[in-house]
Each structure stands twice: as C-alpha cells, then as structure tokens.
C-alpha cells in the first residue's frame, strides 16, 4: 500500500500540495447505501478552514468539497468516494525567497535529503493543508459512526501552560473548542501575545468518544490505541499522545490505576476506554500534544541548499497557534480509525 | 495482512500464548547474506527474561531461541526466518481460579466480549510473554542496523515519581538500565516497596538511536514518529508516547522549540531527530510511559463471566513493575521500525 | 488497503464511474526527480480511447489527463501524483431503461446482491472506462521502466478462432496492434461481421517485455507471474492467463519444456522469462484471453430487480470486440507490476 | 506485508525449507469458537504427501501437523494458529553435487542472481514442500467454508494430451482424483511411461466450488478471479489459469458466452460463477495448467555458479508428474481465497 493511504477496511488516500491546483482524497471501503449529509461534511471542513476567526491565518480558503465519484442518488454505492478541494487563494510568490532555504521546524531539509527535490511553495505536500483532505474523509466516517450511536468530541485543553480545569462540553462553543470558558479567555490572550511577539505557542487537544461497542481493536499489533497513536502522529505537528491516565500512569500504583468492576460496570476509567487493545465500552479518552507553529516571523538561523548560513524571517500568513484548527483534524482521524476498527472487527465476527 | 504481523518490507508475525507449547515469530524481508550472531540474539532475549534478578517474576524461562528456517551456513538467505521459543515453566494451575473472572486492567473482559472465548491460562495471547517473540525479531533488526552504523540505547528514566536526572549511559549497567546511578537506587527502593505493599508501580522508558541517516520515514501517514508510536502502543502496558520535547512542547514558544541550523548542522534537537516525518540525521529520542502492572495481590472488585461480583486476589508470580523488562522490548520494536523504514526508503531511491 | 488500490511500493488507486463527473487515479511511490513526458502519457491514453477508429464505440472521449499533484517543475517529487480524466460525452439517458435490469455478462446482478445499490449509468464503476485511469498510471510506469532499458510490447494475437501466425512487431502498426499483417485483415473482417450480426467476439492479447533484469518477483506468494495474473484478472473481461508455454505445457515433457543453459545463456524460453517466480533476464511472454463483449444488441433473456422476466436488447454504443482497446490496458498493468516488483526487489538489496 | 504471507482478513504466512528442521504456517484472522477437526486436517495433508502411491516420490514424509497456538479446548480463539510440520526424511546428501549447479526449470539460477545465496538442499524454500504448509492452512479454511455450506472439489482433468471426457466426481476416488475413470487409466499409463523414459509430463487441474453465496470478491482490483489467479500462480509449477470458458471464450460470440437469466436463475454458466469480479451464486469453475516436473533424470545442459558448462543428470526421488499431488494444493489455496473474500465482504456489509 502506498504511504499516502491510511486504514485497512475503511481507508483513504490523500493527494495534493499546498499551492497546487487542488488537494483531494479517495475514500475506500465505505459501506453502501449510506446517505451522506454534505452540509455536515462542509461544516466540518469549515471548522478546519483558516480565516474564520482572528486566530487563523488570513488566507481565505473556501475549502469547498466537490464529489467526483462513489455517490448515486445521494447515497454511497460501495465504490470509492473521490473528493476534490480546490486551492483558491494561493500566494505562491510569498514563498519565492524560501525556495532554496530550509525553514527551521519544517520538512524542507529532510525532504531535500530524501528525494533531492521539493515543491517549495508553501510546504508543498508537507503543508498542514493536506489535513483538509483528511477532514473530508473523517467527516464521512463521523456520520457513519453517528448512525451507530457513536459521538466524538474533541477540544483544546491546554495552550502553553494554561490548562482547562474542567471538561464542560457545553461551554466548548468557542474559538478553541475548549470545554472551560474561563480558561479559554486566558488561552486566547496567550495566543494573541505570541502573535504580537512574532512568535507561536503549542498546546494539547483532548478527544472523547462515547457510544462505542466493546470489541474494537485487535489484540496484538493493531491495538486500538496503536491505530490511534499512528493516526495522531501522522499529523504534522504532533509531539505526544497519551491515553487514559497517560504519562501520569507512570506515577500511579496498580491499585489506583486498575479499573475495578461491579455487576453494573466499571468503577473508573483510568484506562481511557481500552483494555488489552480492545474497546471496553467505556468512554474513549486521549490527549495529543502539538508543538508551537514552526513558521514564525522572528530572526532565525538556518542554511540554504548549498549549506550557506542564512538569517531567516518567515513572512506570509501563519497561525500563531495551530491547536484550534487541529481539533477537527484529531476528530477526523479518530473517526477514521474507529470506523476502520469497526469494519475489521466485523470481518471476523460469526 | 493479519493483525499479528507488523511492518512492511521488514515485517514479522508473532504467535503463541503464555501457557501453550511455544511462542514464536516469522521474520520476513531480511536481506540475504547477513551473518546472524545468535549469541547476541540470545543475550537480548535474556534481558527480557524474567527471573534474572530480584525484580522480575519468579517464573524461570530460559527463552532459548530455536531457528527453524531462513538460515543457511550461518547466513540469512532472504527466506523467512522462523524462530521458536518453547514455554518451559508453565504453572497453568495458577490460573484455574481465574478462568472465569475478569482481572482488572487485563484483556480478559474485552477478549470475551470480542470473541466469546479466551485462553485463560496466564493471559493467553495477551500475556507479556508475546513480547519475547518481538525481542527475537528486533534482535535481528538490531544487528543489521548496527552493521549500518546505527546504535540503539534504551533505559528506565522514571519509576513512579522518581526521575533520572541525567542520561549517563555508562552508568546504565544496572537492573533498570537506568542512566542515573543515584536515581536507580531510589527507583529500586520504590519497586521493592510496591512489592511489599502487594501493589505495583509504573514508569517511563527513554530510547535513543544514533547513527541514523537522513531520509527514514515517509512524509504523510507513515511518518517515522507515527510508525514508532504504532509500535510502542502495540506493547501491552503503554499509556503514553512522546518524541523530542514531547508534551513539554505544548508549553514552548516556536522560537524556543525550532531547531535552528548553521552550516555545521543543527543547533539543538527539540524535535527528537525527526522533521516532517523523516529522520534528520540527529539523535532519535523518545519516551514511552508504562502503567503499573495490572496483576496485584490486593483485594479488587471484579465480576465473573456471568456478571456476578467477585472479590479478587490475583495470586501467581508477577512483576511489581514491568518497566525494567520493557526496556529491551522498546529497543526491539524500535529496531524493527527503523529497519523497515530503511528498506521502504531504499525501495524508491534511484 | 482499499480494494481500489493496486501494488505495493509502486501503487495506484483508481476512482470514478463511467458517467460521473470524472475518473481518476492517485499514483503513489513514484521515485522523485523523474521528468514525465506528458505527451507520451496522452499518446498511451489515446490508444485506449474509443472512437479512434471504426472498431471502437462511437462515444467520443478526449481522455485528456489533468495533473493535480506530485509534479514540480516538470519532475516527480516523490509525492502522490493525482490525475483527473473528465467524462465529457455522457449519454446517461441511454441507460435509463437498463436502470432496473440485469444485463447478461455484466456486474449488474452481483453488485446489487452485494451492495443493494448500483450506479446504473453505463456500468458505473464496473465500466471498462475505469481502465483509462489504469492506463494513465501505467503510462508513467512505462516511462520509468524505459529509462531502465525495459521495453513493453503487447498486441492482438487472436480474434475469434483467427490466430496470428507470426510475431513481427514491425507489422503491428494496425488497428489491432497485431504482429501479423495478413491475419489482421481476417481479424478485422471477423469483428465487422460480428458487428453486423449485432453480436460480439473475443480474442487474445500477447505481451512481451524485454530488457528486464534478473531478480524481479518474490519467491513464494508474490511470484512475478502471480502479480501479473492478479493484474490481468483485475481487468473486467479477462477469462484466461498463461505464461511461456502456458496451457500447452500441460502436454509437454520435462525434457522439452526445461530451458537448458549454456555459458552463453538459456537455450530456449519455454518458461516465458520467469523461473521460481523471479525474472531470469529472458524475454517475458504471456497471453491474456478476453471474452466477447457482453453488451450486444440481440434479444436476450434476463430479469429485472424484482425478478420479473425481461426481453432485453441492449442499445447504446458498444465495441463488438474489446480486444483492440484492451491491448494498451494489458501493457499498462504489466508496466505497473514490473515497476512495483523492481521497487520491492530494491528494498531488500544490500 | 511480507511476501511470504497471503491474504487479507484470512491470511497465512509460511516458512521453512525442504531440508531444514521443519516447515510451518501461521494462520491469522480465523474466527473464534470454531472447533477444528484435526483428523480432517491430517487427511488433507495426506493427500498431498508423497509416497502414498506409485506415482509420487519415494520420500516418506509423515507430514504430521503439530499445533503450537491459537486453539483452546479444541476451538479457535481468534489468536493466530501456528502449525508445525517436521521434515523427517531428509536426504540432503542427494543434493551435494547440485549445490553449485543451476538445475533447468528450477529457481536455482534466479535465486542466486537475486540474493547471492541459496539453500541448495532440495530446492530450499522454492521446493514443492512449502505447499504442505499451505495445505494445512487451507484445510482449516475448508472446514469453515463447509460449515457455511460451501463444498470444494478439485481433480485432474488432463495429463499430457489425455483429457477427462466427463466430470463424474463419484469416479474421482482414484490416484489422480480424476472424474473420468477411463481417462484415468490412460493418464496413469502416460505418467508411468514418462517415468520409464526418465522424463516427466504436465497436466491440468480443475476446481469446482458449490454453495457459494453471491457477493464474494471486490469489483475492481480484488475481483474474485484475480485473487484466485494470484493464488494459483503462486504455486510453483503453474503456467496457466482460466475461469469458466477460459481461453475458449476468445473464440466465442457474445450471444453464446453471455449467461442469460430467467426468474428461476441463470440459464448457463460460461462465466464460471463470477460476474464483474463478484461471485454470482453459481458453481465456481476454473482450471490450472501445470508444467511437467522440472527434475528429470535425463542428461541436460546447464552451467554452474561460475558459468562453466555442466552435463547434468538430476538424481534423487522425483515425481514424473506433479499434478496428482497438486490437486489438493489447488483446493487449499482456493479455500483460503474464498474464506478471505468472505471475511472481506462481511467487513463492509451493514
């Protein structure tokens, strides 16, 4: 399988560069007869779209999804669903002076070492724009999961060192999708401050899934958490992933961490909804750490393709914090993993 | 591909249960003509083996590796290498009373929900014993990587809340493979204390790889960190994975986190050796968080297969801390990922 | 991996239905820095295109390929190459009366049984039109192979019971790409006769590849002939595949069939260029049998979706013989298999 | 996935050389709770075993299957099933003089070119002995399919130019599993004559499957016939594969070949049970052509590893015709494909 594909029985393949004609995705394995709500797909796309608020880049992308195949009379047919997302607002010239430099924190240097050529316009294939194609695929997975009773919710729970103190998802209707209204204000301040400093800041996204059946995930190499970790670390700026108690579990005793059971069910959920690699019917809970945006407008030392030293100031439109827009990407990739696990599980059920 | 296989061009398939006749592994894609050092393979097996010191379970397994195929006149032939590891010391009767209970923190409940049957002897397929097969495969990958100049080092850097304060690998010749001699003493005390409390404790393993070329990993879904995260979360007790600055990056500014470059190379390594999913030639550094051992001899609430409440005390021989033995498993899985990435990269090089 | 993808290290994913907006292909794993000759790609597309001569359907498709991604300054970058081929000339209304019938020889019945829904416009996903996307992918593989010194030649060697008596490829510049000028005339007559009879006729395509290195193909399940057979039988109308002496080998003695060797090389090529699943450096030779076109304008018995009997006469524009247009599809799929095998072999070479 | 694995959701990995300690197979994806009949597995193994009659090699292999994993209390658990088949009767010394020669028709030359090393004892990994591991896996698939109402029958229908004139499976209880008693006598004579001539002869195996549901196979690249063709051409000596009318379809008219339908079902089965890549509920029928055994005791020209000319006479015990023993291998691989297709289909069913 190509390295631009993800998944097994529900899989998708993305293509396209930041400043090419279009990006897109081919989704394979979707069950037939499912009526897709394209408004809901577009709404999920819009959550990722920049320019929607003061936080994002000023680039104005409509991210309108065109359906090329796989749908007949409004329903999935079982054939691959190809979706195209044109690149409308390309300021390629912004990147002219970067064409032969290696931007710190970006794939420029490694791509050049690996392949000897790179599309230098806006990060090319390694641009965050590629995630729009993932959101389109994940939006479809989300709808199918919803029809099975599964609900996904992701939100910002940390920006810099400011942490959400609660998980009140009714408060999450804000620019950060943060489940803590008070913390949100401070987080937004911190992001604005980073912008004014010509700098950037990182953060953490937390994702919850409820309504999952028991049985998703395979016991050995394709444990549900392994599939999720793979998915999350395939997102460009991710530096950490933890499930349930996560790194905190390292400090716990077994008597604290074990989720004991009563006839009515589990008494706690330190495991985050997975036991032995298989969903246990509890809420799935995990966190994903994002590094600060690499593109900053401060002076940075770097080199050009010939190895000469360069004093770099990255211009162009860049988010001071990638986290708010990453929330929906985390959600989309989670949906893709869960539906894939669902289909794989079904394959061997008698 | 089956869910008991891992990898693409260097891949392996494990089989076997904790208390069956044997466990084993079939390794596929190994380059031909490579002379395997079987003593070194066995030495790596012994590092995982329980009973080697006061920390491990009392179970005495020799973990002797028998070669069934793929080797001719001491060298790899390109054919699959099958390795068998007999289960010598099986106290299956220890598990009789657990046969119809769900042990907290184990796969018992989820396996039963998924498949309606489980080999209840010692965790069956979900036992940590399965990792012996991985170590055998990883030992071979380690040797091939070494022939290319790549060195792997993993060690315990945290037990409970005690952290290693330094990374002096010359001090790591201890029961925890901990690169901080003083911290090691405290960590061992903490483990012993957990044992006396009939409890267990978690910890963190850190892994370093040096000598890597640039170019390993694929830019989109098979980023090197994604393959590593998948590998690590396929190990049973893992709860967290982070690379470079990891979760700490969430608190950093871009100006701090970006690894700037000079003609002589990178000025820092906050990224942990990977940029855009591709190795950048710097040291690969990541951490893996392990939960405390689930099998503890304290009273725990659980239910049986009929849903009746049970007051459980797990007997048998169990590690109060899985971390020391997990070090070599982390190393083995890392070696497998790196060699696989190496072969995949080579496939497309002109 | 999705079932609409083909290949391992050189792979591609097709999408699109006969009468949707467009069909297309995403090609993954192409080496970087290769300058694609798009005129040559289009020329290969044109060979498959209907309407080019008196043999094909009257449908006029330009089959113009639009490049969406993966190319920078005329060269491959290592990123996935997405190609779009719009469907210009769609007479969907031709299919209105077929919407709820099962055409004999087509996928209509089985798709409905499998998925409960089908895009009934022109065969939908199961239309021969999908092969245009394969030709686009194969055209790129063909160019890369050519740069390595590999030449592919396929042609019609049988129509009905008329067989080409020789393999003079210099005579093959005819509507059938048949390497026997005299036989070509008779074959064309037979096709015309079938058309006048409102009927169709089958045939055989033979493919040759020269300049292959030794070593392509993997010894066990991914033998080169197994990959080729898989590829050929993935083409809709294929009923048979044979390599070297093929079915004739069943009648031979070992002393006749074995290709003996002298210091200067092999003394014969009954094996068709493959030994033990691996290319032996001789010419690769195989044949592919195609059934007669299923869409004929004669009265046929069938049923509708409710199981009612129907007297069917398929209207619309249909080839009386699919073989002439299949030649380039065979070539394209062969190129894809050979380049994939090349990359896979390279992965494990030291 | 490794190239020694076959299948997707029902998959297996074989290992082992002809003259090593053992060969074996790891079967992955088998549904849980299925009671395996090991006597039936062994009976299927015995059908492949040489030495059972006057036709086979004199080598005496018991081919006894040892179960290493995946079974608990007589039932499958969902865990991988590892089966070991020891190599008992190894006359490796028979091969000493062949160690540095390239036997015509064998993989010797190509393996050496590919990997620079080969296990020269008895063909090593490329020996027909590897198929014993496939039969073990296929035996399990066969049982599961039988529980679903699917019956497989394969038999010899051609040896040299002698063809079975009928398909009376009640007559097939003979050394060739040939459904034509009279033809069987002539076929046996021909094989005996080839033996006396120190030569060998080829043949054709035909396979039938009844009781299949509609819906197996995927419409594009993983058409059921493509999966079957891949499987068959992965068997060493196969030179041709055809389904339904096969190569004969090339000579037919569409009006003859199309299987028309009435409310009661199909009126014919020229397609061999598959339409558009998907099983149509009719009998699956295909044929596989085998070349004559390559190992013959006649003088043959070849070269050694240094390229020197050699006058070769292959000694040792070899079948003058591989077809009788190949029957069960065809059956086993067919079962594996069908069960895999069944599981894959189930994955996407709602």
């Amino acid at each position: 399988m190509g390295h631009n594909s993800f998944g097994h029985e529900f899989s998708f393949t993305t293509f396209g560069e930041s400043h090419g004609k279009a990006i897109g995705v081919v989704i394979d394995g979707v069950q037939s007869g499912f009526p897709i709500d394209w408004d809901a797909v577009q709404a999920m796309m819009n959550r990722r779209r920049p320019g929607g608020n003061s936080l994002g880049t000023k680039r104005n992308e409509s991210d309108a999804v065109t359906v090329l195949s796989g749908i007949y009379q409004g329903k999935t047919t079982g054939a691959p669903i190809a979706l195209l997302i044109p690149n409308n607002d390309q300021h390629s010239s912004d990147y002219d002076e970067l064409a032969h430099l290696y931007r710190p924190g970006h794939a420029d240097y490694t791509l050049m070492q690996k392949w000897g050529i790179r599309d230098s316009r806006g990060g090319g294939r390694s641009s965050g724009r590629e995630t729009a194609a993932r959101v389109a695929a994940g939006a479809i997975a989300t709808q199918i999961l919803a029809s099975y009773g599964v609900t996904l919710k992701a939100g910002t729970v940390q920006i810099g060192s400011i942490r959400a103190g609660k998980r009140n998802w009714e408060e999450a209707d804000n620019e950060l999708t943060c489940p803590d209204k008070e913390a949100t204000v401070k987080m937004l301040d911190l992001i604005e401050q980073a912008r004014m400093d010509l700098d950037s800041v990182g953060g953490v996204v937390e994702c919850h899934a409820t309504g999952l059946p028991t049985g998703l995930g395979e016991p050995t190499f394709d444990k549900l958490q392994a599939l999720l970790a793979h998915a999350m670390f395939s997102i460009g700026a991710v530096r950490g992933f933890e499930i349930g108690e996560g790194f905190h579990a390292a400090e716990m005793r077994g008597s604290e961490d074990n989720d004991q059971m009563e006839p009515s069910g589990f008494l706690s959920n330190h495991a985050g909804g997975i036991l032995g690699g298989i969903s246990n019917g509890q809420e799935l809970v995990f966190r994903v750490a994002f590094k600060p945006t690499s593109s900053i407008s401060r002076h940075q030392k770097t080199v050009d393709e010939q190895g000469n030293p360069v004093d770099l100031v990255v211009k162009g439109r860049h988010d001071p914090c990638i986290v708010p827009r990453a929330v929906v990407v985390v959600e989309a990739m989670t949906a893709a993993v869960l539906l894939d696990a669902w289909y794989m599980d079904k394959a061997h059920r008698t």
Side-chain angles (χ1 to χ4, degrees), chain A residues 262-267:
Chain A
E262 276 188 345
S264 58
F266 289 97
L267 296 173

PDB file of all heavy atoms in Angstrom, chain A residues 262-267:
ATOM      1  N   GLU A 262     -17.889  -3.819  38.859  1.00  0.00           N
ATOM      2  CA  GLU A 262     -19.039  -4.306  39.621  1.00  0.00           C
ATOM      3  C   GLU A 262     -20.055  -4.826  38.620  1.00  0.00           C
ATOM      4  O   GLU A 262     -19.921  -4.563  37.423  1.00  0.00           O
ATOM      5  CB  GLU A 262     -19.647  -3.154  40.426  1.00  0.00           C
ATOM      6  CG  GLU A 262     -18.942  -2.931  41.747  1.00  0.00           C
ATOM      7  CD  GLU A 262     -19.680  -1.912  42.603  1.00  0.00           C
ATOM      8  OE1 GLU A 262     -20.542  -1.206  42.049  1.00  0.00           O
ATOM      9  OE2 GLU A 262     -19.389  -1.833  43.802  1.00  0.00           O
ATOM     10  N   PRO A 263     -21.062  -5.539  39.070  1.00  0.00           N
ATOM     11  CA  PRO A 263     -22.063  -6.022  38.110  1.00  0.00           C
ATOM     12  C   PRO A 263     -22.633  -4.900  37.247  1.00  0.00           C
ATOM     13  O   PRO A 263     -22.957  -5.120  36.083  1.00  0.00           O
ATOM     14  CB  PRO A 263     -23.137  -6.640  39.012  1.00  0.00           C
ATOM     15  CG  PRO A 263     -22.360  -7.132  40.186  1.00  0.00           C
ATOM     16  CD  PRO A 263     -21.283  -6.111  40.415  1.00  0.00           C
ATOM     17  N   SER A 264     -22.661  -3.695  37.757  1.00  0.00           N
ATOM     18  CA  SER A 264     -23.211  -2.582  36.970  1.00  0.00           C
ATOM     19  C   SER A 264     -22.202  -2.001  35.995  1.00  0.00           C
ATOM     20  O   SER A 264     -22.540  -1.143  35.192  1.00  0.00           O
ATOM     21  CB  SER A 264     -23.681  -1.479  37.918  1.00  0.00           C
ATOM     22  OG  SER A 264     -22.587  -1.052  38.706  1.00  0.00           O
ATOM     23  N   GLY A 265     -20.958  -2.448  36.083  1.00  0.00           N
ATOM     24  CA  GLY A 265     -19.966  -1.944  35.135  1.00  0.00           C
ATOM     25  C   GLY A 265     -18.664  -1.540  35.792  1.00  0.00           C
ATOM     26  O   GLY A 265     -18.405  -1.880  36.957  1.00  0.00           O
ATOM     27  N   PHE A 266     -17.839  -0.821  35.058  1.00  0.00           N
ATOM     28  CA  PHE A 266     -16.551  -0.368  35.573  1.00  0.00           C
ATOM     29  C   PHE A 266     -16.751   0.725  36.620  1.00  0.00           C
ATOM     30  O   PHE A 266     -17.672   1.544  36.521  1.00  0.00           O
ATOM     31  CB  PHE A 266     -15.689   0.170  34.435  1.00  0.00           C
ATOM     32  CG  PHE A 266     -15.187  -0.888  33.501  1.00  0.00           C
ATOM     33  CD1 PHE A 266     -15.845  -1.163  32.308  1.00  0.00           C
ATOM     34  CD2 PHE A 266     -14.042  -1.624  33.814  1.00  0.00           C
ATOM     35  CE1 PHE A 266     -15.380  -2.151  31.438  1.00  0.00           C
ATOM     36  CE2 PHE A 266     -13.575  -2.608  32.953  1.00  0.00           C
ATOM     37  CZ  PHE A 266     -14.246  -2.866  31.764  1.00  0.00           C
ATOM     38  N   LEU A 267     -15.849   0.748  37.601  1.00  0.00           N
ATOM     39  CA  LEU A 267     -15.946   1.748  38.663  1.00  0.00           C
ATOM     40  C   LEU A 267     -15.122   2.989  38.377  1.00  0.00           C
ATOM     41  O   LEU A 267     -15.195   3.972  39.113  1.00  0.00           O
ATOM     42  CB  LEU A 267     -15.508   1.121  39.992  1.00  0.00           C
ATOM     43  CG  LEU A 267     -16.402  -0.025  40.472  1.00  0.00           C
ATOM     44  CD1 LEU A 267     -15.802  -0.703  41.701  1.00  0.00           C
ATOM     45  CD2 LEU A 267     -17.800   0.524  40.798  1.00  0.00           C
TER      46      LEU A 267
END
